[in-house]
Amino acid sequence: MTTSSAPWNSVLTPDERAARGKAARASLRRSEHARYEPGSARPDPVEVLRSQSATRVPELVPIRYGRMLASPFHFYRGAAAVMAADLGAVPHTGLTTQLCGDAHLLNFGLFASPERSLVFDVNDFDETHPGPFEWDVKRLAASLAVAGREGGFTARDRATAVREAVSAYRLRMQRFAGMRILDIWYAQDEAAALRELAAQGGERLLRRTDELFAKARGKDHLRALARLTRRVDGKLRIAPSPPLIVPLSDLLAESGPTDQDTAVRGLFDAYGQSLSSERRELLGRFHVVDMARKVVGVGSVGTRCWIILLLGRDDDDPLLLQAKEAGESVLAPYTAPTAYDNQGHRVVAGQRLMQAASDIFLGWERVTGIDGRRRDFYLRQLYDWKGGAQTENMRPEGLQLLARACGFSLARAHARSGDPVAIAAYLGTVDSFDRALVAFAEAYADQNQRDYDALVAAVRTGRVAAVEG
């Protein structure tokens, strides 16, 4: 990967790396990050979305637009490609790290580590790609401003949330700048640390945090089994709920006679080779029972996503996997290419690089779909102690806690692949960058509102079709 050959790894001294970070201020001052001014050549945001939709499942695309119409914040969640084009059109620091590529606040959350600890980390990597560190920070900052507006927060409360995220990122990056490489690699953010932060906000915030942890721990394979399956002729099968959940057998029936077992076996033969030998052995102790297409998320709607039900010892020993289509990152047109010719491999490699603890079943494949086209996928567990904050009815102090946790976690994710010494030197010890991103976040929230209004108008005039609800 591009970041693995960074020259500071074995050539530059810490002082030289710090000098490199400070030198980046000459080409892009920290105060300049405050500006967001769309140029005359800015692409039409609706056309950007339509371009993405061209390769997606046609009957699902209206659902994507319908979910984005729910609010400007929902639009923002689905418009990573729009913001990537905006960020790619302006000067950047040149301080490269592995990016999440879509670091809005709901793409951070709770999940189980392989050691069965509840951890908080970035948890969405569809758009992961090497790029300038500030692109992720800006994506996070703007999401806080947009979410704060949706919650009816004052400009002051929104600014506080953005500052919490950016200052947490900056201060933790300073700490990483003085740490040994292995100590950075071993660092992780367990839920207990998040609970300590919540305790500082009072009893109510602590209680809500504990409820969130309990809910995450309860979201496991057994719960998913109860919610997503039913018995058909005495056998467990995924329950259909079209168009959101459609069993593979139904899709194959629509496309003509095809052997379902052959289709599933081909998928797993390729995927298993991407796992380490001991995990391949573990996967082999389960057998596939059923498979269905499932609509997920907001921005991902229309991409091909499958849920796969496997059983081990008996019906009470389930494993649910998600196989999600991986296309080119939205950042790819604006950055140097990666070494991966398989987009699923790109996603998995980026996730393993950024996360302190990744799913033991995380892997990739390239398979021929039921329409005869070859596509890349990545696979992971569907539910494994998964939890995240809900911005609806969130109070300002809750958004500020979440902002701090996200900025804190993002710094660790970036320090694993980027140069924390250079990034910390660029950011400095004063809050110039923090204040600049407060202004940027508000300016971009204005742009997001205009883009949302453009989608509303496109649906109203029939330019695009949307299914709401």
Side-chain angles (χ1 to χ4, degrees):
M1 184 172 287
T2 302
T3 52
S4 66
S5 58
W8 55 267
N9 274 348
S10 58
V11 179
L12 302 181
T13 67
D15 287 344
E16 290 170 330
R17 291 159 60 189
R20 176 173 171 259
K22 289 180 180 178
R25 297 181 193 172
S27 57
L28 184 61
R29 297 193 304 274
R30 290 167 295 179
S31 60
E32 291 183 89
H33 290 285
R35 293 206 310 266
Y36 173 73
E37 298 173 357
S40 59
R42 184 179 191 260
D44 177 354
V46 177
E47 284 305 309
V48 173
L49 298 176
R50 291 181 68 185
S51 176
Q52 280 190 303
S53 298
T55 59
R56 302 192 178 200
V57 180
E59 63 265 28
L60 299 182
V61 170
I63 298 175
R64 181 195 188 200
Y65 293 137
R67 290 186 175 183
M68 293 178 72
L69 285 174
S71 71
F73 182 63
H74 281 76
F75 176 89
Y76 185 85
R77 290 177 59 188
V82 176
M83 191 169 189
D86 291 329
L87 294 173
V90 299
H92 59 74
T93 62
L95 300 176
T96 299
T97 187
Q98 186 70 25
L99 301 179
C100 161
D102 189 17
H104 67 71
L105 75 163
L106 293 189
N107 276 343
F108 294 76
L110 298 161
F111 55 89
S113 73
E115 296 76 26
R116 314 318 292 160
S117 296
L118 191 62
V119 297
F120 182 86
D121 209 333
V122 187
N123 62 7
D124 189 296
F125 297 90
D126 288 5
E127 312 301 344
T128 188
H129 202 283
F133 81 90
E134 70 269 20
W135 288 2
D136 268 356
V137 185
K138 287 183 173 181
R139 181 78 173 148
L140 173 59
S143 75
L144 291 162
V146 176
R149 291 184 180 195
E150 184 166 307
F153 299 167
T154 65
R156 182 176 181 177
D157 284 336
R158 298 195 302 269
T160 299
V162 174
R163 278 197 301 270
E164 287 284 357
V166 182
S167 65
Y169 179 94
R170 177 174 56 84
L171 294 173
R172 196 179 195 192
M173 193 62 74
Q174 289 176 0
R175 287 171 51 191
F176 284 132
M179 290 171 61
R180 298 181 179 90
I181 291 173
L182 284 179
D183 291 337
I184 295 173
W185 193 261
Y186 289 139
Q188 65 179 26
D189 301 325
E190 295 192 355
L194 185 59
R195 191 178 188 278
E196 290 178 6
L197 287 176
Q200 299 172 18
E203 185 61 34
R204 181 181 183 277
L205 189 58
L206 180 59
R207 184 173 65 253
R208 292 292 297 272
T209 302
D210 285 339
E211 291 170 355
L212 181 64
F213 291 173
K215 185 177 180 181
R217 289 189 176 96
K219 201 168 185 179
D220 58 14
H221 291 296
L222 291 177
R223 182 182 176 191
L225 189 74
R227 290 183 57 190
L228 297 174
T229 66
R230 67 180 184 184
R231 289 197 174 273
V232 179
D233 297 329
K235 298 179 180 179
L236 278 176
R237 292 292 182 264
I238 297 173
S241 180
L244 302 183
I245 301 178
V246 182
L248 174 62
S249 56
D250 293 349
L251 293 170
L252 292 175
E254 295 173 5
S255 61
T258 306
D259 184 349
Q260 176 173 335
D261 291 338
T262 298
V264 174
R265 186 164 56 250
L267 181 153
F268 263 80
D269 286 346
Y271 158 60
Q273 297 305 308
S274 70
L275 301 179
S276 59
S277 58
E278 77 282 0
R279 293 176 182 181
R280 231 174 10 247
E281 173 73 21
L282 176 60
L283 180 67
R285 300 186 181 190
F286 293 86
H287 63 278
V288 177
V289 172
D290 202 7
M291 183 172 171
R293 189 181 71 192
K294 187 177 189 296
V295 174
V296 294
V298 177
S300 295
V301 176
T303 57
R304 291 148 186 87
C305 182
W306 302 91
I307 52 174
I308 306 161
L309 172 62
L310 302 93
L311 294 177
R313 182 192 60 197
D314 53 32
D315 287 358
D316 291 324
D317 188 17
L319 171 63
L320 277 143
L321 298 179
Q322 179 187 73
K324 194 173 182 184
E325 183 180 2
E328 184 179 73
S329 167
V330 296
L331 301 181
Y334 318 105
T335 58
T338 68
Y340 303 107
D341 61 357
N342 182 306
Q343 297 298 331
H345 193 179
R346 170 189 59 80
V347 171
V348 170
Q351 181 167 347
R352 289 174 176 168
L353 191 54
M354 294 187 73
Q355 279 188 336
S358 294
D359 185 356
I360 62 172
F361 288 107
L362 181 64
W364 71 90
E365 62 184 337
R366 174 173 288 161
V367 296
T368 300
I370 59 177
D371 60 357
R373 293 186 58 186
R374 292 178 66 80
R375 294 185 176 88
D376 297 338
F377 288 82
Y378 68 94
L379 287 86
R380 62 186 178 185
Q381 292 184 76
L382 179 63
Y383 286 162
D384 192 26
W385 291 9
K386 186 177 181 182
Q390 299 297 320
T391 56
E392 295 84 357
N393 303 317
M394 183 178 282
R395 293 186 178 185
E397 59 269 25
L399 185 65
Q400 290 159 21
L401 169 64
L402 180 59
R404 195 178 319 142
C406 291
F408 195 73
S409 179
L410 185 61
R412 178 192 39 71
H414 282 178
R416 287 168 63 90
S417 64
D419 183 354
V421 175
I423 295 173
Y426 177 84
L427 295 174
T429 57
V430 298
D431 65 351
S432 300
F433 185 73
D434 311 13
R435 289 184 284 108
L437 258 63
V438 169
F440 170 84
E442 287 297 320
Y444 202 82
D446 290 339
Q447 180 64 64
N448 183 75
Q449 180 67 54
R450 293 190 292 269
D451 292 346
Y452 170 78
D453 293 340
L455 179 61
V456 171
V459 172
R460 186 172 58 247
T461 60
R463 183 179 168 195
V464 298
V467 176
E468 298 185 57

